[in-house]
Amino acid sequence: MKIVFAGTPDFSVPTLESLVNSKHSVCAVYSQPDRAAGRGRKVKPGPVSSFAKTRNIPIIQPASFTNTDVLDELKAFKPDLMVVVAYGLILPQTVLAIPLLGCINVHASLLPRWRGAAPIQRAIETGDAKTGVTIMHMERGLDTGPMLTIRECPIEPDDTAGGLHDRLARIGAIALLETLPGIENETLKPKLQDQDQATYAAKIDKREAQIDWSVPAIEIERKIRAFNPWPVAQTRYKESWLRIWRAETVAESATYPPGMVISDNRKFVDVATGDGLLRILELQMPGGKRIPTQAFLNAHSIDGMNLGG
């Protein structure tokens, strides 16, 4: 098949690479426009456009699909199928109707659970036991289309969003190749989503990263894992912010005020929460590197302090 691929971040790259190495022809790659990033605010290409460049695949980066010229350019490729993976732009019906066999999306959740922008983080944050990848036919609604393939994946107790992201990206790439023959032969029977079971994975707001010590320790621990590697959970410490990269729940109940540090000032830092104690394992001071808690305690004494105040 002649395939147009649409994707932007790292999550999209394994699927694009699997398509490029398959018997199918990737005739064009659509990706969001390059944006300024980093301290120097230099414009740099995204992961998908960078990969496409190494394979000499035409790269198109429209800001939207409202322009007639943009639609005509897509029609000129005469694609059999469009594969969309974390593209980041809403595709209007005028685009969905162009490929002969339609547009399909590789989505990082078990639909209809966690439609939307941040399915991996929300699944960890909420405490789901499993997640996965769903390949669906795209329609006008947000992640509402009929499902073609579902692949489940357990969420391990120590999974971070970063680690689960990489695992699901690989699962999605494999699942897509297994799905394409049924699409090409039109033998796959799509399954409608149960709209009553739908949940929405809202985009992560950096303000959510601030830890509320009044909630149970297990909820804070899940948030820390869900926000690793971005935006990274953090708490007020003296006049600055302390970023928390790893932690674990060590007690189910505590009689200390939420936010109080219970530490031996040598090896561990436990923090009282609304229910239980949370042990901080890895943290980061402003301008510093990620370090184990023991290394932090070599230079700081925080027993009895209150975090988050």
Side-chain angles (χ1 to χ4, degrees), residues 70-249:
V70 173
L71 294 176
D72 289 341
E73 186 176 28
L74 177 57
K75 291 176 184 177
F77 289 112
K78 297 181 178 179
D80 295 308
L81 184 71
M82 189 170 187
V83 174
V84 181
V85 186
Y87 182 28
L89 285 183
I90 300 296
L91 299 184
Q93 187 61 40
T94 50
V95 171
L96 300 179
I98 290 174
L100 183 65
L101 297 173
C103 301
I104 62 169
N105 177 244
V106 181
H107 184 75
S109 82
L110 300 175
L111 291 172
R113 187 161 179 81
W114 301 129
R115 296 170 176 173
I120 297 173
Q121 294 94 330
R122 299 306 182 190
I124 294 176
E125 183 183 22
T126 306
D128 289 0
K130 64 182 179 179
T131 183
V133 169
T134 303
I135 298 176
M136 63 177 167
H137 265 304
M138 297 180 69
E139 57 182 28
R140 295 180 67 178
L142 179 64
D143 300 329
T144 59
M147 303 176 293
L148 299 169
T149 301
I150 299 172
R151 295 288 183 269
E152 292 189 358
C153 171
I155 299 178
E156 303 296 344
D158 60 348
D159 267 334
T160 64
L164 188 56
H165 165 284
D166 294 347
R167 207 154 73 241
L168 291 174
R170 294 191 293 269
I171 291 171
I174 295 169
L176 177 70
L177 290 187
E178 294 172 346
T179 304
L180 288 180
I183 294 175
E184 187 175 13
N185 301 329
E186 300 186 64
T187 56
L188 271 181
K189 294 182 179 180
K191 179 182 178 182
L192 295 179
Q193 296 186 37
D194 183 349
Q195 306 298 332
D196 293 336
Q197 298 299 315
T199 58
Y200 178 64
K203 184 179 179 180
I204 302 295
D205 188 317
K206 289 182 70 173
R207 292 173 293 184
E208 296 180 69
Q210 184 172 349
I211 294 172
D212 177 0
W213 294 106
S214 69
V215 305
I218 186 62
E219 293 183 20
I220 299 172
E221 184 266 337
R222 291 198 302 252
K223 173 173 279 194
I224 290 168
R225 291 190 292 115
F227 288 12
N228 177 349
W230 188 90
V232 186
Q234 58 182 352
T235 186
R236 291 293 297 179
Y237 167 67
K238 296 183 178 179
E239 300 302 319
S240 60
W241 289 96
L242 196 66
R243 305 177 91 189
I244 312 298
W245 286 91
R246 288 196 307 123
E248 63 182 1
T249 302

Side-chain angles (χ1 to χ4, degrees), residues 16 29 45 47-59:
L16 174 57
V29 163
V48 164
S49 55
S50 294
F51 177 83
K53 187 176 181 180
T54 66
R55 299 303 180 94
N56 296 315
I57 305 171
I59 304 167

